Amino acid sequence: SHELTQPPSVSVSPGQTARITCSGDALPNQYTSWYQQKPGQAPILIIYKDIERPSGIPERFSGSSSGTTVTLAVTGVQAEDEADYYCQAADSSGTFYVFGTGTKVTVL
Amino acid sequence: QVQLAESGGGVVQPGRSLRLSCTASGFSFSDYGMHWVRQAPGKGLEWVAIVAFDGINSEYSNTVKGRFTISRDNSKNTLYLQMNSLRAEDTAMYYCARLSGSQSFDYWGQGTLVIVSS
């Protein structure tokens, strides 16, 4: 089965850069998306096609990809960026979808 | 603007059935594939099922295959999830989400809570 692995938590001081990795064997062949979820709220899409940002998403959110690992970077972290972040991709056949294990970002 | 609104959640006994609905507005519903995604209390996101734009093709996660059925009525701009033989582990917030062209979930509803308990 297709699995996407993320670190459980990342802590960062305001103004610094948070980097969240997502690893999976099928990632070189599929686009990855990233979602932000705050407590009690639905997830929102913040990155798609590995590096693209939907309209309205701040430029401090960026994505990159290298082999079986994709990375979400939050540059100049703000208190409002404290949330859970999930990567997501389709499996190698493009038929089934999977979410990463999730990363809780704490702003110190 | 795009809006998705889930309904139909509630408390149900193990082994019973429940049908969730997701009403869409603000876009051409019949042009998009649609997903159901769930999240157990305190846990991560879990993809459940997808139905193609025309309702003909669908796929399911292994954890719900054979028990859940995803369908849609494009004349009513509504997505459904028929859940049978419910188990305690199906307890979760259930979200509907729109499939974008890049295999991402670009819009989400606010969710409806399903609790399976005796």
Side-chain angles (χ1 to χ4, degrees):
Chain A
S1 64
H2 183 37
E3 296 181 349
L4 298 177
T5 302
Q6 301 178 232
S9 63
V10 168
S11 297
V12 60
S13 299
Q16 300 301 305
T17 298
R19 290 184 176 84
I20 304 166
T21 58
C22 171
S23 300
D25 290 340
L27 291 183
N29 303 310
Q30 297 292 340
Y31 285 129
T32 302
S33 303
W34 289 92
Y35 304 85
Q36 178 193 68
Q37 186 181 33
K38 296 182 178 180
Q41 298 183 18
I44 61 170
L45 177 67
I46 56 173
I47 295 289
Y48 66 99
K49 282 187 177 180
D50 296 343
I51 61 171
E52 301 294 333
R53 203 172 42 249
S55 61
I57 300 301
E59 292 183 6
R60 65 179 182 273
F61 292 94
S62 63
S64 61
S65 177
S66 179
T68 59
T69 299
V70 295
T71 301
L72 172 70
V74 187
T75 306
V77 164
Q78 301 180 7
E80 67 195 50
D81 299 329
E82 188 163 282
D84 293 326
Y85 292 83
Y86 296 90
C87 59
Q88 171 262 316
D91 72 343
S92 56
S93 69
T95 303
F96 304 96
Y97 295 77
V98 64
F99 288 93
T101 49
T103 299
K104 181 176 181 58
V105 170
T106 300
V107 181
L108 301 172
Chain B
Q1 70 279 23
V2 173
Q3 290 190 333
L4 299 170
E6 302 92 339
S7 61
V11 180
V12 61
Q13 293 179 330
R16 305 298 291 266
S17 299
L18 201 63
R19 188 177 83 158
L20 307 182
S21 300
C22 167
T23 302
S25 61
F27 67 103
S28 181
F29 181 69
S30 60
D31 287 342
Y32 289 86
M34 295 293 296
H35 296 271
W36 286 100
V37 177
R38 69 183 181 182
Q39 186 171 35
K43 303 298 184 181
L45 300 172
E46 179 188 11
W47 174 74
V48 173
I50 181 175
V51 64
F53 68 99
D54 56 4
I56 293 178
N57 294 312
S58 58
E59 297 290 349
Y60 301 88
S61 69
N62 289 334
T63 56
V64 307
K65 193 171 186 177
R67 299 188 299 124
F68 289 12
T69 302
I70 188 172
S71 63
R72 64 192 297 159
D73 185 338
N74 286 343
S75 69
K76 296 182 178 179
N77 288 349
T78 303
L79 174 73
Y80 301 103
L81 185 67
Q82 177 67 42
M83 304 186 293
N84 298 333
S85 303
L86 282 162
R87 307 167 180 167
E89 53 265 36
D90 296 317
T91 293
M93 183 71 78
Y94 284 74
Y95 298 99
C96 63
R98 191 177 81 168
L99 172 66
S100 79
S102 59
Q103 296 185 322
S104 62
F105 302 64
D106 60 352
Y107 287 94
W108 298 63
Q110 286 304 304
T112 187
L113 181 62
V114 174
I115 298 174
V116 183
S117 173
S118 55

